[in-house]
Amino acid sequence: MDRAKVAVENLLAEADIKVNGSRPWDIRVRNDDFYARVVRGGSLAFGETYLAGYWDADRLDELIARLFSSHVTEKARVSFTNLAAYLSATVRRRGAKSSAFEIGRRHYDTGNDLFERMLDRRMVYTCAYWKDAKDLDEAQEAKLDLVCRKIGLQKDQHVLDIGCGWGSFAKFAAERYGARVTGITVSKEQVALGREMCQGLPVEFRLQDYRDVTGTFDHIISLGMFEHVGTAHYAEYMQVAHDHLKDGGLFLLHTIGTNRSGLTTEPWIDKYIFPNGALPSVAEIGKALEGRFVMEDWHNFGAYYDKTLMAWFANFDRRWPEISAKYGETFYRMWKYYLLACAGSFRARANQLWQIVLSKDGVPGGYRPVR
């Protein structure tokens, strides 16, 4: 019997996943080249063979969750979870200013028509806050309001939004709190649509790297951008935030996090979805904060990202016929794998979502956590 097939079947069995089984999370292999490719190429090949149609599963999200929860990824010769050495030759350029706009071109500029159909009505592309919400729209508004309340936002205060997306926070803060917002992004498409969405509001969009920011701000927020900074630049990023935050102001950092330090982005995600990214650990963030900020509050609601990603996929899948002619079937499989695999990783608690509130010198009398 083929040794590669036996190796893969045995590995999957440890996660209670059967090849050609009948359960929703079981894998159906359509091309036997799948086995050898996965043995040679690990998680990158696992995703690429899915794109090529070599295998399928009714519940891809649950399959991935079981791989993470069973820890079989840690036993594999080539880890399905993370490979610190996979892109070791490129680690130095992760987050470098010379490549800062690549993520904008390759991901966020994919097409506003895609994101308009996938996201909520405000186009928030970060984890929603489902505590008391009935649907995605409510959960994303709750998250935006949570951010405003955590920084104690007041009328006429000026907020810097690092990685502002299409302006969802800026529009919300301006409309609901009477704030002024300057948003920076490396995506031309986000700037164009953001300006249209925020027309008539005290909101400015800049196509700009965070290292080129000028001025000082009452508060700074960053929702889902820190994952693109790169480990080597964490301290530099924190110093930029420190330098541009007024005394007495608060900096709220919202980021996906990993349970281990020193790991690059999962190889398939790096190649096809978010190039040159890196997920921070608690230790790495803590080191970058030293001498710059006081950590006032650290809130983990990573379990909500599973529900958010499943809602995004439901929207994407339902409205796919409207854009299928433009993007094609391979893109559909790629985007499906991206959304559902990420949902599975959060379901297994392999990844986290943190909101961290920071001050320059400590809040007098102490900060009161907001939930």
Side-chain angles (χ1 to χ4, degrees), residues 87-105:
L87 290 172
S88 58
T90 65
V91 167
R92 286 188 297 275
R93 72 181 175 89
R94 290 178 182 274
K97 196 171 182 180
S98 60
S99 60
F101 287 80
E102 183 179 356
I103 184 63
R105 291 190 298 270

Side-chain angles (χ1 to χ4, degrees), residues 26-61:
D26 286 333
I27 188 170
R28 295 189 302 276
V29 176
R30 305 183 189 281
N31 186 325
D32 284 345
D33 289 344
F34 160 76
Y35 302 107
R37 285 194 59 181
V38 169
V39 167
R40 290 195 304 268
S43 64
L44 177 61
F46 194 69
E48 289 184 333
T49 52
Y50 179 80
L51 294 195
Y54 285 20
W55 64 274
D56 228 316
D58 292 335
R59 287 292 304 275
L60 181 59
D61 54 305

Side-chain angles (χ1 to χ4, degrees), residues 101-348:
F101 287 80
E102 183 179 356
I103 184 63
R105 291 190 298 270
R106 290 183 53 187
H107 185 86
Y108 297 106
D109 290 344
T110 298
N112 287 336
D113 54 352
L114 166 67
F115 293 108
E116 284 172 327
R117 286 161 175 79
M118 184 180 90
L119 304 176
D120 64 298
R121 64 189 175 208
R122 287 187 176 272
M123 293 186 69
V124 185
Y125 196 19
T126 50
C127 183
Y129 193 61
W130 293 88
K131 182 182 176 186
D132 299 309
K134 301 185 189 68
D135 56 33
L136 182 62
D137 286 334
E138 286 189 9
Q140 290 294 18
E141 286 214 352
K143 192 269 299 299
L144 296 176
D145 192 59
L146 182 71
V147 171
C148 293
R149 289 186 291 122
K150 282 185 175 183
I151 62 174
L153 187 60
Q154 301 294 318
K155 190 177 188 313
D156 296 325
Q157 287 186 328
H158 191 184
V159 182
L160 172 65
D161 184 351
I162 303 175
C164 62
W166 296 272
S168 57
F169 171 82
K171 190 171 191 290
F172 183 90
E175 290 177 336
R176 299 286 181 88
Y177 284 81
R180 185 160 59 99
V181 183
T182 295
I184 64 170
T185 174
V186 293
S187 166
K188 294 180 181 178
E189 291 293 321
Q190 289 184 336
V191 168
L193 185 56
R195 286 173 176 165
E196 180 182 325
M197 292 173 64
C198 296
Q199 192 170 8
L201 294 172
V203 174
E204 177 190 3
F205 287 89
R206 300 177 186 171
L207 186 66
Q208 187 177 55
D209 179 74
Y210 68 91
R211 283 156 288 210
D212 294 326
V213 169
T214 57
T216 57
F217 303 85
D218 295 296
H219 302 290
I220 299 176
I221 65 112
S222 184
L223 310 181
M225 179 272 177
F226 195 63
E227 300 90 331
H228 305 307
V229 169
T231 311
H233 302 278
Y234 290 164
E236 180 181 23
Y237 177 90
M238 294 299 178
Q239 190 62 51
V240 168
H242 180 276
D243 291 346
H244 295 284
L245 180 65
K246 291 181 180 178
D247 293 342
L250 293 176
F251 171 32
L252 185 143
L253 178 68
H254 170 120
T255 182
I256 296 172
T258 184
N259 298 327
R260 290 185 178 183
S261 299
L263 300 176
T264 62
T265 304
E266 193 281 325
W268 187 89
I269 293 290
D270 183 276
K271 182 175 180 179
Y272 290 93
I273 306 297
F274 295 115
N276 304 326
L279 299 183
S281 69
V282 171
E284 288 167 339
I285 293 174
K287 185 177 180 181
L289 296 179
E290 284 189 21
R292 298 180 176 90
F293 287 108
V294 174
M295 193 279 288
E296 301 287 356
D297 185 44
W298 196 303
H299 184 190
N300 185 348
F301 54 93
Y304 287 158
Y305 227 142
D306 176 14
K307 193 168 183 177
T308 303
L309 285 153
M310 294 304 293
W312 287 346
F313 176 71
N315 287 344
F316 167 72
D317 190 55
R318 177 172 53 85
R319 301 191 65 182
W320 172 249
E322 300 172 20
I323 54 174
S324 60
K326 175 181 175 181
Y327 291 95
E329 189 59 26
T330 299
F331 183 92
Y332 175 83
R333 290 184 70 85
M334 179 180 75
W335 216 251
K336 178 179 181 179
Y337 188 85
Y338 151 51
L339 294 172
L340 296 184
C342 287
S345 74
F346 281 99
R347 189 173 308 161

